[in-house]
Amino acid sequence: MTNQALIISALFLTSILVRVVPSLVDVKLPANCHRFLNGPLPKAVFITFAVYIFYIESANLLALLIVGVFAVFALPGLVFTTLVGCAVAALL
Amino acid sequence: MTSIRVYAASENAVPMGLQRAFPVALAVAPISALFGALAHQADWTLLEVILISAFGFTGSGQFAALPFTSESVGLFTLLLLTASLNCRYIPLAIASTDRLPKAKISKAIAGHMLGDEAFATERANDSVTVVLTIRSCIFASWVLSGIAGYLMADILPIAEISEKLPLTFPASAVLLFLCISQLKALTKKSAETNQSSYFLTVVAFSLAIFIALALISLIGPIFFWIPCIACLAVFFWWVDKT
């Protein structure tokens, strides 16, 4: 087996473990769990994402802050905000 | 009347999904193209790039595994590395399982096509068709951009361009915008149910950001995902309860 084949197999197995199997789990959850899955869990995921983005893109902090402010105040929409952010990141 | 409305909603589901997924699909394209170009430099074949983009479908995992092309490592070591990087998908998959088709095979395929950007684009009340359209569009963009990057590696020096231009930034910007939009919608929803004040919401979010920053500084950006999501989920559950 070549290294490329090993890498592809490892990534596919990972996808099965972390995405496919949890998606297939079909358990009748109580109402409290549903509320947890639709409120606190997504909030936790999105804050973790946001903090991670600021951490890995710390070199483009100003551009990210602009994107963040535009998103908070729902100013010009996703495409325009991304373009402005990219222009600032490329210029600085 | 209801049947007409349902028919209209399902008829609009694909265009609606495409409309929401298209900017996101565009934003992830440069990252996948960069991967294709780097894989070309590392002597991967086009078929291997197609296979890794389709069966791997993970930016962080693909980039992390690429340096191991010329080193002899075991499957278990690679699995440990990629699983650590991608364990964040477990809570995302659990939280989005209700939106997926009921048939097991379709559900498995939709589960495999789950990405950070797709999760942030989807909404809790989206129909199965909208969710499948969003995931397929981003997935197709990822695979096709990988192929394009590989084929253009000789013509366009994508790897060199990436050193001068922030090619990963568009995807980060899109993901940040989507996360903030989703947080706004979730906050509005919980404010309607719990009648919580604006001040308390700001305090709760500030504390959550502080916890996340502390965890990423302590554990690092690879292993902080599961502890951070678990801590914050319990924190928000407690805030909603009190």
Side-chain angles (χ1 to χ4, degrees):
Chain A
M1 204 182 216
T2 62
N3 277 0
Q4 281 88 332
L6 267 179
I7 292 170
I8 295 164
S9 311
L11 284 172
F12 187 48
L13 274 173
T14 301
S15 179
I16 292 173
L17 285 173
V18 302
R19 293 191 285 217
V20 176
V21 173
S23 299
L24 288 174
V25 171
D26 200 9
V27 187
K28 291 266 173 274
L29 295 168
N32 271 350
C33 279
H34 270 288
R35 268 199 294 276
F36 181 77
L37 291 179
N38 290 320
L41 185 60
K43 272 185 203 167
V45 168
F46 291 125
I47 287 192
T48 307
F49 267 142
V51 168
Y52 175 74
I53 292 164
F54 272 97
Y55 190 87
I56 58 159
E57 294 279 359
S58 53
N60 300 310
L61 197 62
L62 182 65
L64 275 183
L65 283 173
I66 290 170
V67 171
V69 169
F70 279 19
V72 167
F73 296 103
L75 288 170
L78 173 64
V79 177
F80 186 75
T81 302
T82 308
L83 288 175
V84 171
C86 290
V88 174
L91 288 171
L92 291 177
Chain B
M1 187 70 181
T2 314
S3 62
I4 294 168
R5 210 178 293 140
V6 169
Y7 176 72
S10 63
E11 204 179 38
N12 290 331
V14 175
M16 193 206 288
L18 283 175
Q19 194 185 8
R20 275 164 49 198
F22 189 68
V24 185
L26 269 185
V28 300
I31 302 173
S32 186
L34 176 63
F35 175 82
L38 292 174
H40 185 274
Q41 282 182 355
D43 289 332
W44 284 54
T45 64
L46 179 60
L47 179 66
E48 286 163 349
V49 170
I50 296 171
L51 289 176
I52 197 171
S53 304
F55 289 104
F57 186 52
T58 158
S60 51
Q62 287 177 220
F63 279 101
L66 198 58
F68 293 101
T69 309
S70 52
E71 287 172 36
S72 65
V73 277
L75 180 67
F76 185 72
T77 313
L78 282 168
L79 192 62
L80 206 64
L81 169 81
T82 52
S84 314
L85 281 170
N86 290 333
C87 59
R88 67 179 184 277
Y89 288 121
I90 298 171
L92 308 194
I94 294 170
S96 61
T97 189
D98 283 351
R99 305 169 207 158
L100 302 182
K102 294 280 170 253
K104 293 278 181 203
I105 293 176
S106 314
K107 203 172 190 178
I109 295 169
H112 172 68
M113 291 194 296
L114 169 69
D116 304 330
E117 292 80 10
F119 183 80
T121 309
E122 293 164 18
R123 291 169 198 152
N125 56 353
D126 274 340
S127 68
V128 171
T129 317
V130 171
V131 170
L132 286 178
T133 309
I134 290 171
R135 290 192 186 185
S136 310
C137 182
I138 297 170
F139 180 81
S141 164
W142 183 260
V143 177
L144 293 173
S145 310
I147 297 170
Y150 183 92
L151 295 174
M152 290 192 302
D154 285 332
I155 315 159
L156 274 177
I158 297 177
E160 282 78 28
I161 293 171
S162 75
E163 284 166 18
K164 289 171 190 151
L165 285 174
L167 288 187
T168 57
F169 187 80
S172 297
V174 163
L175 193 54
L176 181 68
F177 188 97
L178 293 171
C179 285
I180 292 172
S181 308
Q182 292 272 16
L183 282 169
K184 277 167 61 187
L186 285 165
T187 310
K188 199 177 163 194
K189 203 172 115 188
S190 63
E192 281 164 6
T193 352
N194 300 339
Q195 308 259 306
S196 56
S197 73
Y198 178 74
F199 175 72
L200 277 178
T201 308
V202 172
V203 172
F205 273 85
S206 307
L207 267 172
I209 291 167
F210 177 76
I211 295 168
L213 280 171
L215 284 171
I216 202 169
S217 309
L218 282 171
I219 313 172
I222 295 174
F223 297 108
F224 96 115
W225 286 96
I226 295 288
C228 188
I229 291 172
C231 275
L232 295 188
V234 171
F235 171 72
F236 279 116
W237 173 76
W238 174 77
V239 168
D240 282 356
K241 223 177 159 191
T242 50

